[in-house]
Amino acid sequence: MSGIYTAAAAPNIALVKYWGRRDDSDLNLPYNSSVSVTLHQDTVKTVTSVALDPRIKRDAIYVDGKLQDSTRSDEKVRLILGVVRDMKSMGNSEDGVLVVSRNNFPAGSGLASSASGGAALVFALNEALSLHLDDTSLSVLARRISGSACRSIFGGFVRWKRGTSPGGEDSYAEQIAPPSHWKLIDVIGIVSASRKKVSSSAGHLITPRTSTLYRSRLELAERNAESAIRAIEEKDFERLAEITMADSNNMHATMLDSWPPIKYMNEKSWRVVDAVHEMNSRYGKSVAAYTFDAGPNAHVITTPKYEREVEDVVGDALGEGARVLASRIGNSPKLIGRKDSLIDDSLKPLQI
Ligand code: PMV
């Protein structure tokens, strides 16, 4: 079987965060459940083409024009190749695979691409190998590339249930509500393009092992996930905003409490925190909610009514040269046509 298939997927932003793996297997099994919104492919997306062909002698992955070195002990590449190998064996294929992936995020934005990249890859491979896997199985496979990727298999509002099985069969994401349920906006303030000092995969192991606060985070995060889902179902923005901000603060507190301490937020991130609290107190209620992943970039969730003002508040807080993007909530990954393929008919990556 041979063919070239291309899929697009969007990153997601967690409102209740996943931080901490319960073992050091390659399965990315979380200690706690998490809740996210999938962003819109019009604003942020990863496009991934896969080619399966007997002429390809060695599986290879290109990301943003660069060949990823599979001989180095790069953990991400190893995880991706492991999932590719398992999906090929499900499809009884011995063909070589070429993967070419491109992010449309602004150059060096520091936005996480592993979630959208992982989701787009398993989605495209499912087609290329005619596996006909359902979304739950795709979510389990995407999780092995990057935990948060399991949530990008779904559009709208998404929950990832931690599960309890050692093999991870019950640790996958599911949709809570479609994007049309509630028109929220994520205003993204790009603070830094520099690479993080501690990768999230290392941090997921360091914090549970060393932070004395971590045990209490687990109970809180599980409760936050339940409350966030109720707030989403009831479209209770104030409640969702408060859970979102508190959960981000709590996760970053356990990071700082790790040994050695892990610090992802910087001065500029904190300026956004202050500015959002100021805006909320001006309105006498929470109209915006910040959340930060394993990096300094700010995500501020709001409703369309306050979108412009939040963009200004974030832009002013970050100062000169700040980049601010706004994303609606978007859909699940989709297949895209041949004309947007990143691989040409002679099986060469297209450097576009
Ligand atoms: O999926 P990973 O390994 O990149 O970890 C993601 C961790 C956070 O972004 C900090 C939180 C989350 O739930 O997305």
Side-chain angles (χ1 to χ4, degrees):
M1 193 192 331
S2 64
I4 302 172
Y5 290 82
T6 302
N12 64 79
I13 178 73
L15 308 179
V16 176
K17 306 293 198 186
Y18 148 52
W19 193 250
R21 292 211 302 263
R22 61 177 189 255
D23 64 31
D24 59 4
S25 70
D26 278 350
L27 294 171
N28 286 334
L29 296 176
Y31 265 118
N32 67 278
S33 304
S34 52
V35 175
S36 61
V37 289
T38 297
L39 301 182
H40 203 289
Q41 292 180 19
D42 282 354
T43 311
V44 276
K45 71 175 170 200
T46 300
V47 172
T48 299
S49 295
V50 298
L52 269 154
D53 197 286
R55 285 172 292 168
I56 301 169
K57 296 293 168 232
R58 204 157 165 258
D59 293 349
I61 305 167
Y62 288 78
V63 178
D64 289 334
K66 273 202 230 102
L67 175 65
Q68 306 298 300
D69 188 351
S70 59
T71 54
R72 263 187 335 154
S73 54
D74 183 312
E75 204 198 330
K76 231 355 95 73
V77 177
R78 194 172 57 77
L79 293 179
I80 294 171
L81 289 174
V83 169
V84 168
R85 206 177 36 242
D86 289 356
M87 290 182 81
K88 276 203 299 191
S89 87
M90 287 179 205
N92 295 318
S93 169
E94 287 174 4
D95 289 346
V97 175
L98 171 65
V99 177
V100 182
S101 193
R102 226 161 237 293
N103 299 303
N104 80 337
F105 313 160
S109 69
L111 290 174
S113 58
S114 53
S116 42
L121 174 61
V122 297
F123 198 84
L125 274 176
N126 187 36
E127 293 296 325
L129 289 156
S130 304
L131 296 177
H132 308 294
L133 296 173
D134 61 13
D135 286 346
T136 302
S137 310
L138 291 180
S139 182
V140 166
L141 286 161
R143 189 202 69 223
R144 287 173 42 197
I145 293 175
S146 178
S148 55
C150 78
R151 299 186 306 236
S152 274
I153 292 294
F154 298 89
F157 298 82
V158 179
R159 167 212 344 235
W160 172 13
K161 276 198 288 193
R162 66 183 292 275
T164 50
S165 155
E169 305 81 8
D170 58 352
S171 185
Y172 51 80
E174 59 195 17
Q175 189 181 63
I176 307 161
S180 58
H181 169 69
W182 199 7
K183 299 206 178 320
L184 299 184
I185 308 286
D186 178 18
V187 175
I188 308 166
I190 296 170
V191 171
S192 159
S194 61
R195 266 183 88 82
K196 42 195 176 200
K197 279 201 211 96
V198 181
S199 70
S200 56
S201 56
H204 282 305
L205 292 176
I206 296 170
T207 303
R209 286 176 186 167
T210 61
S211 165
T212 54
L213 302 178
Y214 191 69
R215 189 176 290 273
S216 66
R217 156 136 191 91
L218 291 185
E219 282 160 37
L220 180 75
E222 222 55 53
R223 256 200 327 272
N224 281 347
E226 288 311 312
S227 311
I229 290 165
R230 266 201 307 284
I232 289 165
E233 283 165 354
E234 292 163 12
K235 298 191 206 171
D236 180 343
F237 188 81
E238 282 202 67
R239 183 145 169 231
L240 185 64
E242 277 149 32
I243 296 164
T244 300
M245 292 185 278
D247 193 80
S248 173
N249 294 339
N250 183 259
M251 176 186 75
H252 286 275
T254 68
M255 290 163 163
L256 272 182
D257 186 48
S258 302
W259 193 264
I262 306 171
K263 181 170 167 267
Y264 290 122
M265 290 170 67
N266 66 18
E267 266 320 300
K268 288 189 174 175
S269 320
W270 282 102
R271 273 192 238 150
V272 174
V273 170
D274 290 343
V276 168
H277 280 292
E278 235 163 68
M279 179 174 175
N280 286 341
S281 59
R282 221 173 337 108
Y283 281 98
K285 62 179 184 180
S286 292
V287 296
Y290 55 77
T291 181
F292 296 83
D293 279 344
N297 294 317
H299 291 258
V300 183
I301 312 296
T302 190
T303 54
K305 183 173 173 191
Y306 300 99
E307 176 182 348
R308 288 270 170 275
E309 195 177 338
V310 169
E311 284 173 12
D312 290 345
V313 162
V314 171
D316 289 348
L318 297 182
E320 197 100 352
R323 292 207 59 172
V324 179
L325 308 171
S327 173
R328 290 169 289 146
I329 297 183
N331 284 307
S332 53
K334 61 172 188 227
L335 272 188
I336 51 182
R338 271 308 269 265
K339 74 172 179 28
D340 292 312
S341 174
L342 300 174
I343 299 174
D344 69 15
D345 290 335
S346 63
L347 301 175
K348 292 268 170 316
L350 288 166
Q351 304 297 321
I352 44 173

